[in-house]
Amino acid sequence: MKSLLISMAIFISLPCLGKTIEIMSYNVENLFDIVHDEGKNDWTFLPTKTKGKKEACDKVKSSYRKKECHETDWAKDNLEVKIENITKMVRRDGKLPAILALSEIENERVISQLAKFIGYKKFAVSDSPDKRGIDLAVLWNETEDVKFLSKKEHVLKGEYFKDRPTRNILEVEFQIGKKEKLTVFVNHWPSLSNPTEARIIAAKTLAKRTKEILKKNKNQNIMAMGDFNTIDENYPHPFKSVLYKDDLYKDLHTTFKKDKSISYNVKDQMAPGTYFYGRGMTWNLLDRIFFTNNLTNNSGLEIDIASYQIYAPSFATRTYEYRSKGKYLYGSTIKGTPFRYEHNSTSNRRAGYSDHFPLIVNLKY
């Protein structure tokens, strides 16, 4: 009887990993509302009839961006189609991710509209100093297994950002299950048109806050996700020189690829990247999910490496053709690239989805 009780105690004390939650990270490509925000350069994604739009577009220096600003008539019907197409990407098999992290959204107003349509009752939105008004969001539904705890924002500071303010890093903490805590950082780092130093500052900001959390609670589960706008050629490299230092973070994509228990065929069938750069005919992994060691130490909340995927359904892809005449790549085609969004379209089939593919992973507890 005594040995039976001991066995039962051991069994009860073992972590129960019978439940899962799904997390999705998605750059939705310019989800703007149709109202001008004072002080923001959101003129491109407004209705043509908006007072002041023509004059604002005339001031755009880039000929390409000026043309885009004048020709984009972003109105109610266009926005509704975009929300419907985002919903098609996010709501898979009739289910929503437990936690949805979005980048390249404008504000709380448009996220409120998206959340209502898509089926989320709770959301958190950043309030960044970015001149275009670009921000980040996290959406979820409060359940017994997913409970909101707190929200913070982290501004990227430094001389470089005095004249070029950018997106904040959004931090949201959840309770998962009865006792596990999870901190989610949503990122949209400065674009590749900015020097690498700008992304180094972003990496240091993220790393500093992560260390603060772990110093307070070494068992805290932490994930960082979003559009990091970082490629292998960046030097010094924001991941290698900052995030990977002292084994602070691990990259989910790399971990997945190195896991020998996962079939080569499964890995081979995955899209080669989340973003396709047409001018260079190259794939990039601009979107990433990073995680701390606590999520792989078999002591509670656990990241399911095998569940990771770059979600690229056929309806959200297209064949890209290189059309620059006189270039040696002229006429070359690549299948399966992101079906980027056409903001003037009012047809769901023709409008597309985004120039990025989303990332998905499950957590077990």
Side-chain angles (χ1 to χ4, degrees):
M1 181 69 179
K2 185 176 180 181
S3 61
L4 177 61
L5 290 173
I6 292 173
S7 298
M8 289 177 64
I10 293 173
F11 176 77
I12 292 170
S13 67
L14 290 173
C16 177
L17 301 180
K19 295 184 177 181
T20 64
I21 61 167
E22 182 181 88
I23 295 178
M24 176 184 281
S25 177
Y26 191 19
N27 180 325
V28 293
E29 190 184 6
N30 293 319
L31 175 60
F32 280 75
D33 63 15
I34 57 173
V35 179
H36 174 55
D37 289 351
E38 192 65 35
K40 297 295 184 180
N41 184 14
D42 58 358
W43 295 104
T44 296
F45 300 104
L46 289 171
T48 298
K49 64 182 181 181
T50 301
K51 183 179 179 180
K53 174 166 179 169
K54 181 182 181 302
E55 293 76 10
C57 292
D58 285 339
K59 295 177 182 178
V60 177
K61 293 180 180 179
S62 163
S63 58
Y64 173 81
R65 293 301 178 190
K66 180 182 290 188
K67 185 172 183 288
E68 178 187 44
C69 185
H70 279 297
E71 293 182 355
T72 302
D73 185 12
W74 183 242
K76 181 175 180 290
D77 289 347
N78 307 80
L79 174 57
E80 288 176 352
V81 166
K82 185 162 182 66
I83 286 175
E84 289 167 3
N85 281 13
I86 291 172
T87 302
K88 186 175 180 179
M89 285 293 285
V90 171
R91 183 181 284 278
R92 296 155 46 248
D93 300 322
K95 298 178 181 179
L96 290 171
I99 298 172
L100 174 63
L102 299 181
S103 54
E104 216 161 290
I105 62 95
E106 186 182 16
N107 53 33
E108 187 172 327
R109 189 187 302 117
V110 77
I111 285 298
S112 177
Q113 189 173 341
L114 174 67
K116 184 177 180 180
F117 185 87
I118 208 170
Y120 284 108
K121 294 182 179 179
K122 301 288 184 178
F123 56 84
V125 181
S126 64
D127 185 15
S128 303
D130 181 83
K131 288 183 178 180
R132 287 183 61 220
I134 295 290
D135 267 297
L136 305 136
V138 177
L139 297 87
W140 71 94
N141 282 323
E142 198 91 357
T143 68
E144 289 184 358
D145 294 313
V146 179
K147 293 179 179 169
F148 171 80
L149 295 177
S150 65
K151 169 203 165 184
K152 293 182 176 66
E153 293 183 54
H154 307 283
V155 181
L156 302 193
K157 299 177 181 179
E159 283 295 321
Y160 182 78
F161 296 116
K162 285 186 177 180
D163 297 320
R164 306 172 187 83
T166 189
R167 280 81 58 174
N168 296 345
I169 295 175
L170 176 62
E171 173 190 333
V172 183
E173 185 183 27
F174 294 96
Q175 179 175 313
I176 306 299
K178 293 183 178 180
K179 58 181 181 179
E180 296 292 334
K181 290 184 178 180
L182 172 68
T183 299
V184 173
F185 289 106
V186 191
N187 300 259
H188 188 185
W189 289 4
S191 73
L192 288 163
S193 63
N194 296 277
T196 301
E197 180 57 31
R199 289 178 291 283
I200 290 288
I201 293 173
K204 288 180 176 179
T205 304
L206 174 59
K208 180 182 177 182
R209 177 55 185 159
T210 301
K211 290 174 182 177
E212 289 173 353
I213 294 171
L214 292 175
K215 185 176 181 180
K216 186 176 180 180
N217 177 13
K218 65 179 181 179
N219 296 316
Q220 183 80 358
N221 302 294
I222 303 174
M223 300 177 74
M225 59 195 68
D227 179 357
F228 292 85
N229 274 318
T230 299
I231 58 177
D232 291 342
E233 291 76 15
N234 285 170
Y235 182 82
H237 201 276
F239 304 161
K240 297 173 184 177
S241 63
V242 182
L243 297 189
Y244 299 160
K245 192 175 180 181
D246 301 322
D247 201 26
L248 182 63
Y249 275 110
K250 286 184 170 65
D251 172 44
L252 179 56
H253 184 86
T254 303
T255 306
F256 172 85
K257 288 290 188 178
K258 288 182 177 180
D259 193 325
K260 294 181 180 179
S261 69
I262 301 171
S263 165
Y264 170 80
N265 289 334
V266 171
K267 298 173 184 176
D268 190 52
Q269 289 171 12
M270 186 177 288
T274 61
Y275 180 87
F276 182 75
Y277 180 54
R279 190 178 298 177
M281 294 291 273
T282 55
W283 284 94
N284 293 312
L285 274 164
L286 301 184
D287 307 88
R288 303 270 185 158
I289 294 177
F290 297 100
F291 61 93
T292 53
N293 289 319
N294 290 330
L295 284 163
T296 55
N297 62 8
N298 298 309
S299 62
L301 198 62
E302 189 84 2
I303 192 164
D304 182 3
I305 304 298
S307 70
Y308 166 73
Q309 63 173 303
I310 298 172
Y311 182 53
S314 58
F315 64 78
T317 69
R318 66 165 187 165
T319 297
Y320 180 88
E321 180 179 356
Y322 194 88
R323 296 179 179 176
S324 295
K325 292 183 178 180
K327 304 289 186 180
Y328 77 96
L329 288 171
Y330 178 69
S332 299
T333 59
I334 299 288
K335 294 181 178 179
T337 67
F339 187 175
R340 68 177 306 160
Y341 203 78
E342 169 48 64
H343 287 80
N344 274 329
S345 180
T346 54
S347 162
N348 292 85
R349 184 174 61 85
R350 296 175 183 172
Y353 296 87
S354 172
D355 53 354
H356 292 247
F357 290 137
L359 301 178
I360 299 171
V361 71
N362 290 339
L363 297 182
K364 302 182 291 185
Y365 58 102

